[in-house]
Amino acid sequence: MGITANEELIAKVVGEVISSLNITYAPASAQAPAQAQAGIYNEMEAAIEAAAISQQVVQKMSMDQREKIISLIRSKTKENAEKLARLAVSETGMGNVGHKILKHHLVAEKTPGTEDIITTAWSGDLGLTLVEMGPFGVIGAITPSTNPSETVICNTIGMLAGGNTIVFNPHPAAAKTSMLAINLVNEASREAGGPHAIAFTVFEPTLKSSEIMMKHPRIGLIVATGGPGVVEAVLSSGRRGIGAGAGNPPVVVDETADILKAAKDIINGCTFDNNLPCIAEKAIVCLDSVSDDLIKHMIGEQGCYLASNAEIDKLTRLVLTQKGLNRDCVGKDAKTLLSLIGVKASDEIRCIIFEDEKEHPLIAEELMMPILGLVRAKDFDDAVSKAVWLEHGNHHSAHIHSHDVVNITKYAKAIDTAILVKNAPSYAALGYGGEGFCSFTIASRTGEGLTSARSFTKQRRCVMSESLCIR
Ligand code: NAD
């Protein structure tokens, strides 16, 4: 007979308390509360109840105590970057270990912590008014398979800084990697003198556990990072939600661009982690006058393979099946994709390029693999309208290579995306080779943009009448 959520919670909490006293304890339940698994439950309800208990502790902690945990999360992320990267690639079959290591260092170093929580004050004849950022309580976070541990760590740093605890429902295909990250952040909490767990989840995350989480009354905010399905589900749940959804970022190249650099930046961005990031270049729109030059440099110096029409037809059938996007191709490298259509390519080949109209399915669809179609434009206005069409109204990310500020401004206004990178690889938007902080939850749909600690807080106005103004 299965144990209920309450029994599970009681057994686990008792086990955790006893284990913190260094007493050996073996609960009768099916699941031992080993410290390494603190925060991970059989039932979603039990995970949420435990997160609510932990949040009571976190809310009372000083900002300095929260920051101590965050600092340990940062160092543990760096120490375990390779382990997390290797596990993610082996578990999901997607991405590139070296790039994933870089992503973990980036998230560890550039995700804002408690410094992002600020107070606004008005002081005058009528007294002092403050607006302070308070926690939502328990946040339900849904995370993707493409950046699994990076998103868990990034969300935990920001959400904890805001005084919340988190219940994750990770992508089932990346559950082990996500749980390793959850174990790391919880270990950091214990070592810094915080609660046994600040991040919670279930051993087997499913759509069902996600639904339970979205409807649970103790969840104050839902943060969904993923494709259109999950964002739609969250936004129709009737609960407060942050939706970080899909993108299909076009990159425009005009005749004022440094074409050699554009070729390099575009291919570096597009091939980063085998094109998994939602911000990565997914289509090129290039002015006709410089297209040949750009293609020449992409092939010549950037390891691109210019596919023939017949090869592109084969790739289209392989990648976009009748059931939709072939998940077995997502996050694979160019050499592997070419081998699947019978083309033997050298190790130098990083990206498959081709030319076609914007409607070609390998250009119009978000593929998340290094296949990059180039669409020619007769002039800049034509380039803007093609790029806007390709972005599909996601308002997520777009990029441009140009030194004409009028063109850049026109494009920025027309495409209206949360991210617009100029003259750099797309990953500059994450603070890698660009100014600014890092986030792996880019709330394109609900408008927060790159989320950080402050996105996970409620504003509270505190008014002191006719006192404390000491000017
Ligand atoms: P996915 O949409 O398949 O899964 C994301 C998460 O949502 C998973 O945890 C999944 O289990 C859950 N999920 C999916 N459908 C659901 C539903 N109907 N109800 C509840 N939960 C549901 O995404 P993926 O393949 O892992 O990631 C790639 C997609 O995510 C791409 O579209 C990419 O652009 C997007 N993405 C966006 C961001 C961002 O910050 N905006 C970041 C990473 C990925």
Side-chain angles (χ1 to χ4, degrees), residues 82-258:
E82 182 168 351
K83 188 174 173 187
L84 289 160
R86 289 200 183 281
L87 183 59
V89 172
S90 75
E91 184 182 19
T92 64
M94 303 190 297
N96 170 294
V97 171
H99 292 162
K100 283 192 188 291
I101 293 174
L102 282 174
K103 281 161 69 174
H104 284 89
H105 281 274
L106 185 63
V107 86
E109 280 161 15
K110 287 205 157 181
T111 304
T114 52
E115 73 282 6
D116 199 46
I117 305 296
I118 53 161
T119 299
T120 311
W122 292 265
S123 163
D125 294 347
L126 299 179
L128 174 70
T129 293
L130 305 175
V131 172
E132 296 206 300
M133 297 174 168
F136 275 97
V138 181
I139 298 181
I142 300 173
T143 52
S145 56
T146 47
N147 319 306
S149 39
E150 299 91 326
T151 311
V152 164
I153 292 163
C154 183
N155 282 180
T156 303
I157 292 175
M159 292 171 186
L160 174 68
N164 308 280
T165 54
I166 314 102
V167 177
F168 285 102
N169 199 80
H171 197 292
K176 279 191 210 147
T177 314
S178 309
M179 275 179 223
L180 177 57
I182 289 170
N183 284 332
L184 281 182
V185 300
N186 287 339
E187 202 177 278
S189 175
R190 290 192 296 275
E191 285 178 21
H196 258 78
I198 46 172
F200 298 79
T201 191
V202 286
F203 281 102
E204 281 183 38
T206 57
L207 281 184
K208 177 99 192 351
S209 57
S210 175
E211 273 167 31
I212 293 171
M213 189 184 84
M214 285 196 264
K215 290 190 184 132
H216 201 286
R218 283 200 190 271
I219 298 289
L221 172 71
I222 306 165
V223 178
T225 310
V230 60
V231 172
E232 206 52 54
V234 167
L235 296 186
S236 20
S237 70
R239 311 295 298 277
R240 170 89 152 81
I242 292 181
N248 192 46
V251 52
V252 166
V253 183
D254 78 8
E255 71 278 21
T256 67
D258 175 343

Side-chain angles (χ1 to χ4, degrees), residues 7 9 11 32 79 136 179 212 231 249 251 253 260 288 294 341 371 429 464:
E7 286 165 351
L9 179 64
E79 282 158 24
F136 275 97
M179 275 179 223
I212 293 171
V231 172
V251 52
V253 183
L260 196 69
D288 189 34
L294 184 70
I341 57 158
I371 300 176
M464 170 62 84

Side-chain angles (χ1 to χ4, degrees), residues 273-285:
D273 205 14
N274 293 343
N275 199 244
L276 286 179
C278 52
I279 57 157
E281 292 81 349
K282 302 278 192 290
I284 303 173
V285 182

